[in-house]
Amino acid sequence: MMTWFEMYNEFIKNLEKVNQLQRDYITNLERINYLYNESIKSIERVNDLYNQSIRNYEKMSKSYEQQFENMQRMNQKWLDVFSKSWEQGQDEKR
């Protein structure tokens, strides 16, 4: 049979264990919160990089379109020059 003093000491020890468990729980929650915040930052960085790559792709696409249009104009000019020259050659043959 335990005395009242022994029971009180056991209760205090158990209470200290509970308090330590609660402190550990809070510490773990803080770690989880920190890791969660870091993961959000990482996702935001990935999203920013993705958006930047999309903007770069759009710039490249626009450049290709401009180059294609320039090539079409240049080809049309060459076609016009050769057509006129060919027509002039045909007119001279007549």
Side-chain angles (χ1 to χ4, degrees):
M1 183 97 176
M2 292 176 45
T3 67
W4 181 89
F5 184 71
E6 290 172 335
M7 288 173 42
Y8 178 75
N9 282 340
E10 190 68 26
F11 173 77
I12 295 298
K13 286 180 190 175
N14 287 333
L15 189 61
E16 288 173 354
K17 288 178 184 177
V18 167
N19 283 340
Q20 184 60 45
L21 283 172
Q22 288 176 335
R23 284 191 297 271
D24 290 346
Y25 178 74
I26 289 171
T27 300
N28 287 334
L29 283 177
E30 288 171 344
R31 288 180 189 157
I32 289 171
N33 188 48
Y34 172 78
L35 291 172
Y36 178 77
N37 288 334
E38 287 299 307
S39 71
I40 287 175
K41 289 176 187 175
S42 293
I43 289 170
E44 287 172 345
R45 284 193 295 269
V46 167
N47 191 39
D48 289 342
L49 289 171
Y50 177 76
N51 287 336
Q52 185 178 4
S53 71
I54 293 295
R55 285 191 298 273
N56 288 337
Y57 176 78
E58 288 171 347
K59 288 177 187 176
M60 283 177 27
S61 178
K62 187 175 179 181
S63 293
Y64 287 139
E65 288 173 4
Q66 289 173 346
Q67 184 65 21
F68 183 74
E69 289 169 4
N70 290 340
M71 291 298 289
Q72 282 183 319
R73 282 195 299 271
M74 185 179 73
N75 287 341
Q76 186 62 46
K77 286 181 182 178
W78 279 109
L79 184 64
D80 292 345
V81 166
F82 287 128
S83 296
K84 288 179 184 175
S85 139
W86 187 77
E87 288 173 3
Q88 286 175 355
Q90 291 297 323
D91 288 342
E92 290 175 2
K93 287 183 182 178
R94 288 183 195 165

